[in-house]
């Protein structure tokens, strides 16, 4: 179908992906006055859910119902035409058409909000009869599998590979269900790019205190599924023989792998949209095609500290970017220019995680450049690292911080400090001259 044919019909806004980016785009379209068709393509048949809560659901700390931020009634008010179990296979930008197994659908404007998929880069092929696919964590389906493992008494030892936030959330879920956990990470410290060694060390001491075995600076070289020597409770008759890069061999019941995320963009035809590590967008979340917008983990948008377009894959960004796309599309379909007030202001990276009682909070950058200095304040229960940047006028501004506290109580001074420092970085970054 040609663009001119599509534009002669009533406008159709297509949203690919029914997560927070997609839902917030739909909400913004409606609250901005767009009353036309919104067609949503979702590759699952559930209500939109929060990937953040999957580890808590798996460990039994949250119910399934709590994983759905919007009720069916709230979503019904948006009058969306939702195609469930309709994975988008192709986005034909030139012809304004979206293909699923059901058929081909025209659009006037489209929002891509398909999130990302966990990767197992470097995880070796498992040898032995029956093979083995490692546990990953993102979708509700992934969470159901982890839940099954955590509920299984015959699983006693879990190897967590990776030391990012998702890996640590998986580790926490395992600890909370009484599993013995070993963490293997290729870097010398946990928390990968989110922490500097001084704070990561405090976090590691906390993990050791909870009985976690740490294998840092190592990777998994080989995994073999073998017959178990002694049959475990509940009759598990197999186990996984793991060889580490330093030559050590150990035995586990299950392995979880969190080796990074990849934006879900396989349905985008190569060369049809500008993709770097993800879709490159402008301040209205427009991709290189004026009728295709994007939001969330598929997007490379302005990151305020670096001034560069980067993926900052957090919930708040997906929500704000989805809303930004929805408002801009509503304006354009009403024949207006999007309002600069509704433009995306940029974001900073921010993370909070508590494993048992050990709290970690970070914001901003962890990059130490020649014009940045590091200050460490440490007391009995808390380490805070501040990264300051020298400004030209001799001024200095906070551009990043890490905080690790041995106690995690909501509303405690540690949480207050984290919130206050995050605000300080955000407000300064937002006013930084271009
Ligand atoms: C375990 C875990 C913990 C996390 N913890 C935090 C946290 O503490 N704080 C935080 O801010 N962020 C956290 N995040 C990140 C946060 O969940 C994401 O940044 C956010 O959900 C991104 O929203 P999104 O709309 O881009 O993607 P999603 O929420 O993943 O939604 C995308 C949807 O698109 C669907 N889809 C994919 N491909 C297709 C296709 N081809 N056709 C149709 N539909 C498709 C997917 O099934 C999915 O439902 C965490 C993530 C994980 C996995």
């Amino acid at each position: 179908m040609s663009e001119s044919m599509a534009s002669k019909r009533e406008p159709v806004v297509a949203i690919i992906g029914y997560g927070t980016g997609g839902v917030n785009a739909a909400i913004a379209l409606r609250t901005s006055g767009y009353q036309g068709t919104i067609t949503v393509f979702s590759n699952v048949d559930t209500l939109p859910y929060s990937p953040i809560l999957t580890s808590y659901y798996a460990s039994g700390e949250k119910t399934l119902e709590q994983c759905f931020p919007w009720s069916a009634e709230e979503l019904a008010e948006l009058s969306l035409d939702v195609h469930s179990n309709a994975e988008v296979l192709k986005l034909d930008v030139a012809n304004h058409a979206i293909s699923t197994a059901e058929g081909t659908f025209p659009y006037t404007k489209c929002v891509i909000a398909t999130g990302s998929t966990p990767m197992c880069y470097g995880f070796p092929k498992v040898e032995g009869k029956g093979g083995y696919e490692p546990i990953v964590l993102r979708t509700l389906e992934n969470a159901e599998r982890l839940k099954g493992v955590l509920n299984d008494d015959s699983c006693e030892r879990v190897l967590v590979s990776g030391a990012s936030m998702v890996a640590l959330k998986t580790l926490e879920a395992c600890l909370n269900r009484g599993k013995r956990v070993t963490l293997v990470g290729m870097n010398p410290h946990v928390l990968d790019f989110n922490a500097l060694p001084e704070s990561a060390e405090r976090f590691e001491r906390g993990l050791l205190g909870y009985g976690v075995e740490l294998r840092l600076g190592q990777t998994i070289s080989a995994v073999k599924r073998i017959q178990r020597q002694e049959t475990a409770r509940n009759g598990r008759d197999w186990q996984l023989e793991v060889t580490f890069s330093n030559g050590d061999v150990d035995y586990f019941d299950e392995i979880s792998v969190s080796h990074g995320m990849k934006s879900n963009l396989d349905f985008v035809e190569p060369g049809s949209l500008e993709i770097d590590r993800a879709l490159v967008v402008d301040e209205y979340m427009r991709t290189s095609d004026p009728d295709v917008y994007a939001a969330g983990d598929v997007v490379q948008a302005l990151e305020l500290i670096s001034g560069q377009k980067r993926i900052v894959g957090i919930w708040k960004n997906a929500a704000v970017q989805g809303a930004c796309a929805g408002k801009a599309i509503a304006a354009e379909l009403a024949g207006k220019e999007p309002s600069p007030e509704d433009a995306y202001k940029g974001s900073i990276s921010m993370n909070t995680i508590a494993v048992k009682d050990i709290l970690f909070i970070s914001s901003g950058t962890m990059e130490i450049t020649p014009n940045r200095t590091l200050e460490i304040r440490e007391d009995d229960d808390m380490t805070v690292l501040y990264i300051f940047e020298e400004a030209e006028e001799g001024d200095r501004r906070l551009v990043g911080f890490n905080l690790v506290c041995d106690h995690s109580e909501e509303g405690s001074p540690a949480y207050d400090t984290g919130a206050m420092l995050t605000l300080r970085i955000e407000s300064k970054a937002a006013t930084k001259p271009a």
Side-chain angles (χ1 to χ4, degrees), residues 24-313:
N24 279 284
I27 293 171
L29 277 158
R30 292 300 186 219
T31 52
S32 304
Y34 173 71
Q35 294 177 352
T37 303
I38 303 177
T39 310
V40 178
F41 298 93
S42 171
N43 62 355
V44 291
D45 65 357
T46 63
L47 294 178
Y49 60 87
S50 167
I52 300 176
L53 301 176
T54 48
S55 66
Y56 305 110
Y57 167 62
S59 65
E61 290 157 88
K62 297 271 180 211
T63 63
L64 186 59
E65 290 66 39
Q66 288 173 310
C67 296
F68 302 107
W70 299 274
S71 68
E73 292 72 31
E74 284 168 323
L75 292 163
E77 281 176 21
L78 297 171
S79 303
L80 307 175
D81 174 21
V82 180
H83 294 237
S84 299
N85 286 329
E87 178 180 353
V88 169
L89 304 172
K90 187 175 155 192
L91 171 67
D92 183 346
V93 170
N95 290 303
H96 284 61
I98 286 169
S99 301
T100 70
E102 288 174 24
T104 299
F105 303 84
Y107 69 82
T108 318
K109 302 275 181 189
C110 167
V111 182
I112 302 176
T114 41
S116 52
T117 296
M119 300 310 288
C120 295
Y121 301 114
F123 183 74
K125 186 173 174 346
V126 177
E127 297 163 38
K129 200 169 158 218
Y132 178 78
E133 284 300 321
I135 297 164
V136 293
L137 194 55
R138 174 86 192 190
T139 64
L140 282 181
E141 205 180 333
N142 300 152
E144 289 295 355
R145 178 171 172 208
L146 179 59
K147 194 177 185 67
V149 163
L150 297 179
N151 284 341
D152 179 355
D153 283 348
S154 74
C155 169
E156 291 166 1
R157 290 195 72 191
V158 180
L159 175 62
V160 173
S161 183
S164 63
M165 306 298 277
V166 175
L168 290 168
K169 288 208 169 186
T170 308
L171 177 149
E172 184 201 18
C174 293
L175 280 184
N176 285 347
R177 295 307 306 271
K179 308 296 177 194
R180 276 176 63 203
V181 187
T182 297
L183 180 142
V184 56
M186 64 190 293
N187 295 318
H189 292 288
V190 297
L191 290 158
D192 288 351
F193 308 107
N194 297 307
L196 291 170
E198 293 81 354
S199 49
E201 275 165 14
R202 183 163 208 143
F203 200 85
E204 287 155 18
R205 286 199 295 277
L207 292 178
L208 291 169
Y210 286 114
V212 176
E213 181 192 24
L214 296 177
R215 286 182 171 273
L216 296 171
Q218 297 177 29
T219 55
I220 298 174
S221 304
V223 183
K224 199 169 174 185
R225 182 175 168 136
I226 59 167
Q227 197 69 23
R228 208 180 161 106
Q229 318 287 303
E230 308 151 28
T231 305
R233 280 181 292 167
N234 282 0
R236 180 184 287 249
D237 62 356
W238 57 276
Q239 62 186 161
L240 298 161
E241 181 187 84
V242 177
T243 307
F244 294 96
S245 51
N246 66 351
D248 287 358
V249 176
D250 205 348
Y251 298 87
F252 298 90
D253 298 310
E254 299 280 351
I255 303 176
S256 134
V257 176
S258 309
H259 291 181
M261 294 278 177
K262 180 174 164 274
S263 301
N264 293 325
L265 292 170
D266 287 351
F267 56 87
V268 176
E269 289 195 291
S272 64
L273 297 174
E274 186 188 350
I275 297 181
D276 177 20
R277 295 190 62 213
L279 287 164
V280 180
V281 292
D282 70 9
E283 68 273 35
Y284 296 107
M285 297 294 124
R286 261 181 309 226
T287 65
S288 54
D289 183 282
D291 293 331
V292 180
Y293 291 66
D297 288 7
V298 288
V299 149
Q300 233 173 289
L302 178 65
E303 192 278 330
L304 290 166
I305 307 284
S306 64
Q308 294 171 356
K309 291 186 178 178
R310 293 186 173 179
I311 304 173
V312 182

